Amino acid sequence: PSEVDARDGRDETEKERLDRNLVELLNELRVALPGVQVLFAFLLVVPFNQGYSRMSAFDKQVYFVTLLCTALASILLIAPSVHHRIEFRRDDKAYLVRTANRLALAGLSVLAVAMTGVILLISNLVFGTAAAITTTIAVLLAFAGVWYGMPLRHRRRQSENDRR
C-alpha cells in the first residue's frame, strides 16, 4: 500500500522514498567526485615540479593544508558508497541516507576549503599577496553565498511560508 507523502505529494512508501533519496544523493556525489579527483591529482604532482623548491614557507603550508583538505574531501565524499556496500541489504536505509547526507555536506564543505586553498596558493604565486587576499575572500564569499546562502535562504523562506 502506498501513501502520498505530505511534503512533496509523491505517491510512494517510506522505503521507496528512502531508496529515491539514496539514489539522488549518490548521483549528486558522482558530479562532485571527478572534480575532487582532478584537484587531488594536481596537488599530488606539485612537489615534483621544479618551482616547488622556490615556494615560500607560507605557500608550502597552504599547499599542505590544501592537499590534506582534498584528501579529507575525497574520504568524506566516497564514504557514502562504502557505507552503502557495508550496509547493503541490512534494511536500514534511513540510517544510510541520514549518514550519507551528513558525510556529503561535510565533504563538500571541505572541498570548498580545498578549492579556496588552491586559489590562494596560485594567486599568491602568480600575482602576490594583495591579489591573493582579494581573490581568496571573493572565492570564499562565492562558496558561502552560492553553495550555502542561497539554499538556506530558500529553506528559511519556505519555512516562513509553511507557518503562515
Side-chain angles (χ1 to χ4, degrees):
S2 64
E3 26 185 86
V4 175
D5 187 327
R7 289 171 290 189
D8 62 12
R10 293 179 190 262
D11 184 22
E12 60 188 1
T13 65
E14 178 68 10
K15 284 189 175 196
E16 289 169 335
R17 185 181 64 79
L18 289 168
D19 286 341
R20 178 179 51 80
N21 288 168
L22 184 60
V23 167
E24 288 175 0
L25 181 87
L26 293 175
N27 283 333
E28 291 164 0
L29 293 176
R30 285 188 189 102
V31 171
L33 279 170
V36 175
Q37 291 168 327
V38 168
L39 179 58
F40 198 41
F42 163 75
L43 290 170
L44 289 174
V45 300
V46 167
F48 302 103
N49 289 325
Q50 291 177 350
Y52 184 78
S53 61
R54 293 189 304 268
M55 287 172 55
S56 70
F58 173 77
D59 290 330
K60 288 179 179 178
Q61 290 169 350
V62 169
Y63 163 77
F64 188 63
V65 169
T66 302
L67 178 69
L68 293 178
C69 285
T70 306
L72 181 57
S74 297
I75 291 166
L76 293 168
L77 293 171
I78 294 169
S81 295
V82 176
H83 287 226
H84 182 252
R85 285 295 94 208
I86 292 171
E87 291 290 320
F88 186 65
R89 294 191 177 167
R90 298 197 36 109
D91 199 31
D92 196 5
K93 282 266 174 76
Y95 162 80
L96 190 57
V97 169
R98 191 173 51 255
T99 301
N101 184 61
R102 289 179 182 147
L103 290 166
L105 285 171
L108 291 168
S109 297
V110 176
L111 175 61
V113 172
M115 292 172 70
T116 303
V118 167
I119 294 296
L120 172 59
L121 178 64
I122 292 172
S123 60
N124 192 48
L125 286 169
V126 175
F127 299 109
T129 305
I133 292 169
T134 303
T135 305
T136 302
I137 290 170
V139 168
L140 274 173
L141 290 174
F143 275 122
V146 175
W147 281 20
Y148 301 97
M150 288 173 66
L152 290 172
R153 185 179 69 215
H154 175 73
R155 189 175 181 171
R156 186 181 68 241
R157 285 182 181 161
Q158 288 298 104
S159 293
E160 289 170 2
N161 289 339
D162 292 345
R163 284 185 289 223
R164 291 179 188 170

